[in-house]
Amino acid sequence: MQLNTNTELQGGKYRILRVLGQGGFGITYLAENVFFDRVVAIKEFFPKDFCGRDNTSHLTLGTQNNAETVEKLKARFLKEAKNIAKLDHNGIVRIHDIFEENNTAYYVMDYIDGESLSEMVKRVGPLSESKAIEYIRKVGDALDYIHSRNMTHFDVKPANIMIRRKDDAPILIDFGLSKQYDIHGDATSTLMQGVSQGYSPLELYSAGCVSSFSPQTDVYSLGATLYYLVTGNIPPIASDIIDNGLQLPSIVSSAVSNAISCAMTISRAKRPSCVSTFLDKLTVNCTEKPKHNTSAENVNSNEDTVLIDDPKDTHSEQSKQTAPKATTKEATSRKYSGCIWTLVAICFLIIVGAVFLTDDLTPEINTIDQNVEYENLEEVELKEEKDVLIETVKEETTQNKKYSEKIDSKLDKIPSKSNSSNMLDENKTMIVDDNHIFNLAETPGLEAPQFPGGEEALLKYISENIRYPAEAIENNIQGRVVVQFVVTKTGAVSEVRVLRGKYPDIDREAVRVVKSFPKFIPGRMNGHAVNVWYSLPIQFKLSGI
C-alpha cells in the first residue's frame, strides 16, 4: 500500500527513502530532494478507506462512488496544502512544493529531525511544569498566528508537535484537518471532520457543528496537550468530563491545573476566547517535576484521529469508525471576537512623546529584503501627521505641567507636616495599591517603566520578532499602529489593546509582538514599584512604495 524505497517522483527530483507514518488521509515519507541534496518529508494523499495501489505506484479506486469521493477529497487536500504553504512562522512546518502524480497528490515539507512530544513523554515520562509551559507557549504563538489568518488546526495534540533536535523548538505539523474561514467567519473549506480521543472538545464529536471560526476549539486541544505533558496520561474524553469532571493529580500546581481546567471547559463559549488569553493564565515559575512512573508501558499514548463525515458533503461516505456520542449540544458557535480589546482610549503617554520629540524613532518593517529597519519619523511619515502628533504631545505636556502646579498649590496650603500626615498616609496607601494603574501624563514624580536595555533594545527586539502580514503586503497596506498596555509592578506586560489601529492583520501582529515582550523594569512611585499604562507606536511600511 506504500511507495517502495527508491521510488522517484517528479521525474527524479524526489526519491523516497522510507515511511515516516500513515493516517486516515495520507502517508508521510522521508525523501531526498536529489537536485539540492537535501532531506525532506513528503505527504501523499492516500485515503485508505477508499482506495488501493497497483504495482506501478498509482492509486486504484473501487466503485464509481469511491472515485467521486476521492476526487473531491483530493481537491480539498490540494487546497489546504496551498493555504498552509502561505503560512510563514518558525513554529509551523513549511511546505515547499505541491504536485499531482500517480493518480494522487503530494506536498513537500521540511523534515523535522527530532521526536514528537508524544514520543518524548513515552521516553522520559511527564515533563516539569516549566518545560511543558515553555513548549506550550511556543505552540500557542504558532496557533495565534494561524488564527490571525482565520484558520483553525483542529488536530492539536502531542503527536502533532515535533521537537526539533538541533534547537529544542516545537514545530506544529499535520494540517490535514485544518479549515480556512473567510472574513465573516464562514468556512471556505470542508475537509472531513475528525476527533482525537482526549484532545478533541465535545463540539468535534458532532459532524459539521463547527461551521464558523472557533479558536476556542484549538484552545481546548492545547490545554489537553498540556495535561498530557505534566501528567503523562491522555486526558479523559469530553463526554467523561461531563459526567465526572476534570481531575488532575495533586502534584500539578494550582496555577497550571486552573489554566488546564479553564481551557478544557465543556462549553465552548466559556473557554478563553483565544490562545493568548489561555497563555496569560499560565505561570513559568513552576519547576518541580511530577513524581510519576516514567516507564513507557505506563504512559497512555493512544492518539489516533477518528474521522467523522461532514453532512454538508453529499459525496462523502460513512466513516469506518465512530466517535463517542455527545451527551450535550454545544451552543451556537460565536464569531471570533479576537484577542484585541477594541476599547477606545484617548491617552497618549509622555514616554511616547519623548521618543518622538527626541529621537523620533519608530519601527519600520522592510518587506522587500525581509530586513527590519528603523528610520526617523520624518522619513516614514507625512509632515502633517508628525506636526499633529507633536502638537498632541505638547498639549499633554502642558496639561501635565498644569496638573503639577495644581498639586503643588494644594500642598503649599497644608499648614504643617503633622496636620498633613493623614493625607500623606492616604496617598502612600493609594500608591502601593496592587490594583491601581498609573498614567504618566497625570502623575507627577512617576518614574516610567523601562524596557531592559533601553529604547534601542526595544527597537531591536521589535525588529527581530515582528512579521509583516502577508495579506497586508498583498494589499499594499501600511501605517502606524499604537498599542497600549500595562507594565505591572512585576514588570510583566498585560491588558494589551490597540489604541489606534490600521488594519486587522497588522493590528494583530503588533499586539502579538507586544505580548511577547520580556519583563520591563517596572515604573516606580516614591520608591515603590507600581502598575503603569504604556503606549507604543509601531510603524508598518512597505519599502519601495
Side-chain angles (χ1 to χ4, degrees), residues 449-494:
Q450 296 291 324
F451 189 86
E455 293 173 3
E456 184 177 347
L458 172 61
L459 299 178
K460 180 180 179 183
Y461 181 91
I462 294 174
S463 73
E464 293 176 347
N465 289 275
I466 205 162
R467 296 181 294 271
Y468 211 118
E471 186 174 335
I473 295 175
E474 293 172 3
N475 292 287
N476 293 333
I477 296 171
Q478 53 187 332
R480 186 177 66 241
V481 178
V482 179
V483 181
Q484 186 182 58
F485 53 95
V486 174
V487 177
T488 68
K489 60 187 295 184
T490 65
V493 170
S494 69

Side-chain angles (χ1 to χ4, degrees), residues 154-157 177 194-205 217 220-221 224 235-239 241 264 266 271 304-306 308:
F154 281 138
D155 202 15
V156 176
K157 58 184 179 183
L177 297 179
V195 294
S196 293
Q197 306 292 0
Y199 300 101
S200 295
L202 189 64
E203 60 264 23
L204 287 184
Y205 285 96
T217 300
Y220 183 103
S221 300
I237 63 175
S239 57
I241 296 177
M264 295 183 66
I266 292 298
R271 292 176 213 147
D304 291 340
T305 300
V306 180
I308 298 177

Side-chain angles (χ1 to χ4, degrees), residues 249-262:
S250 59
I251 194 68
V252 179
S253 70
S254 59
V256 172
S257 181
N258 290 338
I260 293 174
S261 298
C262 185

Side-chain angles (χ1 to χ4, degrees), residues 424-437:
L424 294 177
D425 287 342
E426 270 186 18
N427 190 40
K428 287 183 179 180
T429 301
M430 180 184 70
I431 288 173
V432 297
D433 182 358
D434 288 342
N435 298 320
H436 187 74
I437 303 174

